[in-house]
C-alpha cells in the first residue's frame, strides 16, 4: 500500500505541472459553463425544462469519454518511452502496485477536477424555489466516480500495451467507445440484448445512478470492470518483462 | 570489509531472445567490498545479465542470487539490496533533482529521507542544483543524478551499466573516484567497454563476449598477460631489409614489420621485459640513425580484440 501511495501521489502532482492537464480541465469547465448558461438562460427561464442538477451531468459524460484517454495515455506508455520503466520495475515494487498507483493518481486528479462542477447544481439550487434535489446528485456523483474509475482503469491498462502515448490514446478511445456502443445493442429483448445491455459502459450510469437509483448490479459492474482492467494492466507489465 | 561472503552469485545463467542466446551459461560471483568489471563489446550480453540481476527480466534458465536472495523467487528482497543505474539513465525530466531523489527514496522506504537526500546531493555534487528541473541539467549532471538514485537507499550491491559513457574527461575521473569510494564497503558490478577504465577501477575483470565469459582475472594479471603483446615503434631511415635481421638477432624480438608510415616499423616482442634499451643500442651500434623509439600503446585493445574475436566474429552487432 505504501508503494501504491508513493506512485499515486507523484502521478497526481505531475498532473498539476502538466499544461495538457490544465488545458483539459479548462476545456471541461468551459463547455460545462456554456451549456449551463444556455440551459439556464433559455430552457429554465422559458419553463421548458425542470430545474435539475443533471442538466450539467448529462453532457459531462460525453466529454469525459474523450478526456479520459488524454489523462491516462501517458501513465505507462511514457515510462516505457522514456526508459524510466526500468527504474520502476527494478525498484522493490510489485507490478500491480505500479499499475494501481498510476490509476489512483489519475483518479485523484479527475476527482479534483470534477468536484468544482458541483457549483452548477448549487447555483441552480440558489436560483430556484424550492431548490433542487441534492440527494439525487449525491448518487449521480457517486456513479460518476465509479464510471471514471472504470474508464481510467481501461486507460491505464491500454497505456501499458504501448510505448507511444498517442497510440495509447487511440486504443483507449476505441475500447471506451466500443463499450459505449455495445450498450446501445441492449435496447431489444433476448439474451444477447440483455448481456449487451449489462456490458454497456454508460447505461448503468444513465439508467440508474444518474436518476438517483443506487443498485448493487450497477456498482458491481463498474467495480468489476475496474478490477479487471487493473488486473490485465499488471499482466501486461509482467508479460513485458519476458519480452 | 572484504570477507568472503558472495553478494552476487550467478550459476549457469542463460537468456534467449527468441532463438538467439544473449547470455549462455554464465557463472561468476562477487564478494562484499569487491568492484567487479564487466568488460565486453556492445551486444556481448552485459546489459542482459544486469537486467536479470536487477529483477527487470527473468532468465531463461540458470539462477542468480543477490545478497543471498534469488532474483526470481525472492525478487523483491533482492531488489531491496540493489542500486541500479541502467545504461540509458532513467530520469523524469519534469521533476526537480530533489523531488526525483525523494520519490526514489520513498519507493525504497528510506528513513529520515530529507537528511539522506541531502547526503546524496553532496555525494553527487549537486547541492546547488537541487531545485533545478532534471531536463535543464547537462549530461554529466544527469548521469550523477542517476547515480544518486542508485545510492539513496544505501544498497549493498551497486549495478552500474556503462556509468561513464558520454561524460567529459573531468567528469569521468570524478565518477570513477566516486565508484572506488563506494566500492570500499559495497559490492559494485560495473560494465564498460573501455579497458583502461576496468583496469583503473576494478578489483577483478570479467571479459564477456557473445554471452560467454572469455577471460577472468585481476587487472594486474590481465596487464601482465597483455604485456606479452607489447609492440614497439621504431622510426629510422633504414629499410625493412636492413632492420629485420638486425633486430631479430635480439632475444625477445618476435617480429619486425613495416608501419603505417614510411621509415616507421613495428617491432613485436615477447612478454616480460622492456626491450627498448637493447633495440636502441643495437641500432646505434650498427651505425643506423635512430629517430624515434616508443611503445605503440595499443596492446590492451589488441588483447581484448583477440580474446573477443576468437568466437563468432560475424555477429558482433547483436542487440544487447
Amino acid at each position: 500500500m505504501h508503494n501504491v501511495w508513493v506512485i499515486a501521489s507523484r502521478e497526481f502532482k505531475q498532473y498539476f505541472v502538466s499544461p495538457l492537464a490544465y488545458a483539459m480541465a479548462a476545456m471541461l469547465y468551459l463547455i460545462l459553463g456554456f451549456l449551463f448558461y444556455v440551459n439556464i438562460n433559455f430552457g429554465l427561464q422559458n419553463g421548458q425544462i425542470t430545474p435539475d442538477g443533471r442538466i450539467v451531468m448529462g453532457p459531462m459524460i460525453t466529454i469525459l469519454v474523450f478526456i479520459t484517454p488524454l489523462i491516462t495515455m501517458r501513465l505507462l506508455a511514457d515510462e516505457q518511452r522514456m526508459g524510466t520503466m526500468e527504474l520502476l520495475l527494478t525498484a522493490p515494487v510489485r507490478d500491480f502496485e505500479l499499475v494501481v498507483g498510476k490509476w489512483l493518481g489519475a483518479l485523484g486528479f479527475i476527482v479534483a477536477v470534477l468536484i468544482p462542477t458541483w457549483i452548477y447544481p448549487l447555483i441552480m439550487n440558489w436560483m430556484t424555489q424550492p431548490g433542487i434535489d441534492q440527494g439525487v446528485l449525491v448518487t449521480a456523483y457517486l456513479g460518476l466516480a465509479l464510471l471514471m474509475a472504470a474508464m481510467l482503469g481501461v486507460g491505464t491498462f491500454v497505456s501499458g500495451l504501448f510505448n507511444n502515448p498517442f497510440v495509447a490514446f487511440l486504443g483507449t478511445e476505441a475500447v471506451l467507445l466500443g463499450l459505449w456502443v455495445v450498450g446501445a445493442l441492449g435496447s431489444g429483448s433476448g439474451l444477447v440484448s440483455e448481456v449487451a445491455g449489462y456490458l454497456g459502459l454508460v447505461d448503468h450510469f444513465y439508467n440508474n445512478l444518474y436518476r438517483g437509483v443506487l443498485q448493487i448490479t450497477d456498482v458491481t459492474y463498474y467495480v468489476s470492470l475496474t478490477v479487471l482492467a487493473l488486473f490485465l494492466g499488471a499482466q501486461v507489465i509482467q508479460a513485458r518483462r519476458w519480452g | 570489509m572484504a570477507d568472503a561472503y558472495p553478494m552476487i552469485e550467478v550459476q549457469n545463467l542463460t537468456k534467449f531472445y527468441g532463438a538467439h542466446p544473449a547470455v549462455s551459461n554464465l557463472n561468476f560471483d562477487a564478494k562484499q567490498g569487491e568492484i567487479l568489471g564487466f568488460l565486453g563489446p556492445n551486444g556481448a550480453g552485459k546489459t542482459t545479465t544486469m537486467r536479470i540481476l536487477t529483477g527487470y527480466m527473468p532468465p531463461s534458465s540458470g539462477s542468480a542470487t543477490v545478497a543471498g536472495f534469488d532474483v526470481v523467487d525472492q525478487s523483491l528482497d533482492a531488489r531491496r539490496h540493489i542500486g541500479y543505474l541502467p545504461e540509458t539513465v532513467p530520469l523524469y525530466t519534469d521533476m526537480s533533482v530533489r523531488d526525483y531523489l525523494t520519490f526514489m527514496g520513498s519507493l525504497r522506504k528510506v528513513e529520515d529521507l530529507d537528511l539522506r537526500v541531502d547526503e546524496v546531493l553532496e555525494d553527487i555534487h549537486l547541492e546547488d542544483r537541487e531545485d533545478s528541473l532534471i531536463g535543464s541539467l547537462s549530461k554529466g549532471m544527469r548521469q550523477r543524478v542517476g547515480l544518486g538514485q542508485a545510492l539513496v537507499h544505501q544498497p549493498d550491491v551497486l549495478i552500474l551499466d556503462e556509468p561513464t559513457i558520454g561524460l567529459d574527461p573531468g567528469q569521468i575521473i570524478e565518477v570513477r573516484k566516486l565508484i572506488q569510494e563506494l566500492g570500499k564497503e559495497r559490492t559494485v558490478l560495473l560494465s564498460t567497454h573501455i579497458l583502461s577504465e576496468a583496469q583503473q577501477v576494478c578489483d577483478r575483470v570479467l571479459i564477456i563476449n557473445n554471452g560467454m565469459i572469455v577471460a577472468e582475472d585481476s587487472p594486474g594479471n590481465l596487464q601482465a598477460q597483455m604485456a606479452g603483446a607489447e609492440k614497439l615503434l621504431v622510426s629510422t631511415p633504414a629499410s625493412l631489409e636492413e632492420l629485420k635481421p638486425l633486430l631479430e638477432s635480439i632475444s625477445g624480438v618476435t617480429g619486425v614489420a613495416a608501419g603505417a608510415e614510411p621509415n616507421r616499423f613495428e617491432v613485436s616482442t615477447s612478454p616480460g621485459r622492456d626491450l627498448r634499451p637493447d633495440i636502441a643500442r643495437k641500432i646505434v651500434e650498427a651505425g643506423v640513425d635512430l629517430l624515434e623509439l616508443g611503445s605503440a600503446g595499443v596492446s590492451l585493445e589488441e588483447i581484448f580484440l583477440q580474446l573477443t574475436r576468437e568466437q563468432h566474429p560475424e555477429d558482433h552487432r547483436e542487440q544487447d
Side-chain angles (χ1 to χ4, degrees):
Chain A
M1 208 47 218
H2 168 86
N3 292 333
V4 170
W5 190 248
V6 172
I7 290 168
S9 53
R10 191 196 86 86
E11 212 58 50
F12 180 75
K13 281 183 214 147
Q14 286 313 103
Y15 281 114
F16 291 94
V17 293
S18 152
L20 181 68
Y22 281 101
M24 272 174 340
M27 190 175 80
L28 181 73
Y29 293 147
L30 204 69
I31 296 174
L32 289 181
F34 175 74
L35 291 173
F36 182 68
Y37 172 78
V38 169
N39 274 309
I40 293 286
N41 220 17
F42 303 104
L44 215 56
Q45 305 263 319
N46 303 336
Q48 285 165 350
I49 52 170
T50 47
D52 188 332
R54 290 175 295 182
I55 59 174
V56 179
M57 227 186 232
M60 191 143 77
I61 303 304
T62 315
I63 304 168
L64 288 173
V65 166
F66 289 93
I67 280 183
T68 299
L70 285 174
I71 296 172
T72 55
M73 63 182 186
R74 292 180 64 239
L75 285 178
L76 293 166
D78 231 25
E79 301 277 354
Q80 203 76 46
R81 190 178 59 86
M82 296 193 304
T84 41
M85 192 61 106
E86 197 161 350
L87 199 67
L88 297 173
L89 295 189
T90 55
V93 177
R94 292 177 184 86
D95 294 353
F96 82 85
E97 290 176 327
L98 169 63
V99 173
V100 173
K102 289 282 182 182
W103 164 82
L104 191 62
L107 186 64
F109 171 70
I110 201 72
V111 166
V113 168
L114 291 179
I115 283 174
T117 63
W118 206 312
I119 190 96
Y120 301 116
L122 288 177
I123 292 173
M124 224 182 293
N125 195 40
W126 171 73
M127 283 176 68
T128 54
Q129 286 298 331
I132 58 170
D133 187 349
Q134 298 285 335
V136 172
L137 273 174
V138 172
T139 315
Y141 265 93
L142 176 70
L144 184 65
L146 286 167
L147 175 63
M148 283 317 299
M151 292 205 294
L152 294 170
V154 169
T156 310
F157 157 54
V158 176
S159 180
L161 291 171
F162 301 105
N163 296 348
N164 180 331
F166 182 65
V167 180
F169 169 82
L170 295 178
T172 305
E173 197 57 75
V175 175
L176 293 181
L177 290 178
L179 282 172
W180 186 322
V181 169
V182 161
L185 300 172
S187 50
S189 58
L191 183 67
V192 175
S193 185
E194 220 165 278
V195 172
Y198 185 74
L199 290 178
L201 181 66
V202 295
D203 306 78
H204 293 274
F205 178 74
Y206 278 126
N207 295 344
N208 299 317
L209 291 156
Y210 180 62
R211 298 171 201 271
V213 181
L214 187 61
Q215 285 193 143
I216 194 82
T217 46
D218 304 316
V219 174
T220 307
Y221 170 80
Y222 288 123
V223 172
S224 311
L225 183 57
T226 308
V227 170
L228 176 70
L230 295 179
F231 172 76
L232 290 176
Q235 297 305 303
V236 165
I237 299 297
Q238 205 176 6
R240 277 182 167 265
R241 287 178 184 272
W242 288 91
Chain B
M1 200 164 79
D3 54 346
Y5 186 64
M7 291 301 280
I8 302 176
E9 213 173 2
V10 170
Q11 283 176 341
N12 304 322
L13 201 71
T14 301
K15 176 74 183 180
F16 281 94
Y17 291 122
H20 168 75
V23 170
S24 37
N25 235 343
L26 224 55
N27 286 289
F28 68 89
D29 57 29
K31 291 169 196 66
Q32 197 180 338
E34 184 173 40
I35 303 181
L36 182 63
F38 231 30
L39 194 62
N42 294 329
K46 299 178 301 230
T47 299
T48 300
T49 308
M50 291 183 154
R51 284 180 161 177
I52 294 170
L53 288 175
T54 53
Y56 180 71
M57 51 164 70
S60 305
S61 65
S63 68
T65 63
V66 173
F69 296 103
D70 188 279
V71 297
V72 176
D73 296 333
Q74 299 161 299
S75 182
L76 289 179
D77 287 316
R79 285 186 234 168
R80 277 186 195 108
H81 291 270
I82 301 173
Y84 177 38
L85 177 65
E87 191 175 359
T88 43
V89 184
L91 300 168
Y92 295 106
T93 48
D94 52 1
M95 282 179 109
S96 74
V97 176
R98 175 173 280 277
D99 286 350
Y100 173 77
L101 293 175
T102 305
F103 170 65
M104 290 311 296
S106 44
L107 275 186
R108 301 286 193 168
K109 298 195 176 83
V110 173
E111 283 169 24
D112 294 324
L113 188 52
D114 283 345
L115 283 175
R116 179 61 196 147
V117 169
D118 287 340
E119 285 172 20
V120 172
L121 284 167
E122 210 172 297
D123 287 342
I124 59 175
H125 306 300
L126 285 175
E127 306 99 308
D128 51 336
R129 301 300 298 269
E130 58 171 302
D131 295 320
S132 303
L133 289 184
I134 292 172
S136 72
L137 299 181
S138 72
K139 189 164 171 124
M141 290 181 186
R142 288 185 196 204
Q143 192 82 17
R144 281 184 273 157
V145 177
L147 206 53
Q149 65 79 24
L151 296 177
V152 68
H153 52 298
Q154 299 178 285
D156 298 323
V157 177
L158 268 174
I159 297 184
L160 313 171
D161 199 353
E162 305 267 3
T164 57
I165 202 163
L167 300 183
D168 67 40
Q171 295 165 335
I172 288 178
I173 291 169
E174 212 171 278
V175 169
R176 282 181 189 162
K177 226 196 288 175
L178 185 57
I179 292 170
Q180 275 175 313
E181 260 165 56
L182 294 166
K184 282 177 190 153
E185 305 136 40
R186 295 160 218 280
T187 306
V188 181
L189 174 62
L190 79 96
S191 78
T192 177
H193 57 258
I194 307 163
L195 272 152
S196 56
E197 177 163 296
Q199 273 192 308
Q200 274 180 32
V201 180
C202 303
D203 301 318
R204 196 153 56 90
V205 175
L206 296 176
I207 297 182
I208 176 171
N209 189 42
N210 285 310
M212 285 175 272
I213 294 171
V214 291
E216 176 187 351
D217 221 325
S218 70
N221 288 349
L222 275 178
Q223 192 153 35
Q225 201 184 323
M226 283 163 184
E230 190 96 67
K231 271 193 181 152
L232 300 175
L233 198 73
V234 175
S235 184
T236 158
S239 68
L240 184 63
E241 289 74 33
E242 283 178 71
L243 201 62
K244 206 172 158 71
L246 190 66
L247 295 186
E248 282 178 353
S249 67
I250 304 169
S251 90
V253 171
T254 54
V256 180
E261 291 162 54
N263 296 332
R264 279 173 172 266
F265 304 93
E266 279 180 8
V267 180
S268 319
T269 65
S270 60
R273 208 156 64 84
D274 190 353
L275 290 175
R276 279 177 297 184
D278 307 71
I279 291 171
R281 205 173 302 119
K282 198 81 175 180
I283 292 175
V284 173
E285 277 171 5
V288 180
D289 291 336
L290 177 62
L291 302 177
E292 207 181 326
L293 174 60
S295 169
V298 291
S299 59
L300 299 182
E301 276 71 17
E302 291 213 328
I303 273 285
F304 176 68
L305 285 176
Q306 211 180 327
L307 277 169
T308 55
R309 253 187 215 142
E310 270 160 18
Q311 322 120 336
H312 318 300
E314 74 279 5
D315 45 31
H316 261 282
R317 287 181 306 262
E318 291 292 341
Q319 57 148 348
D320 207 324

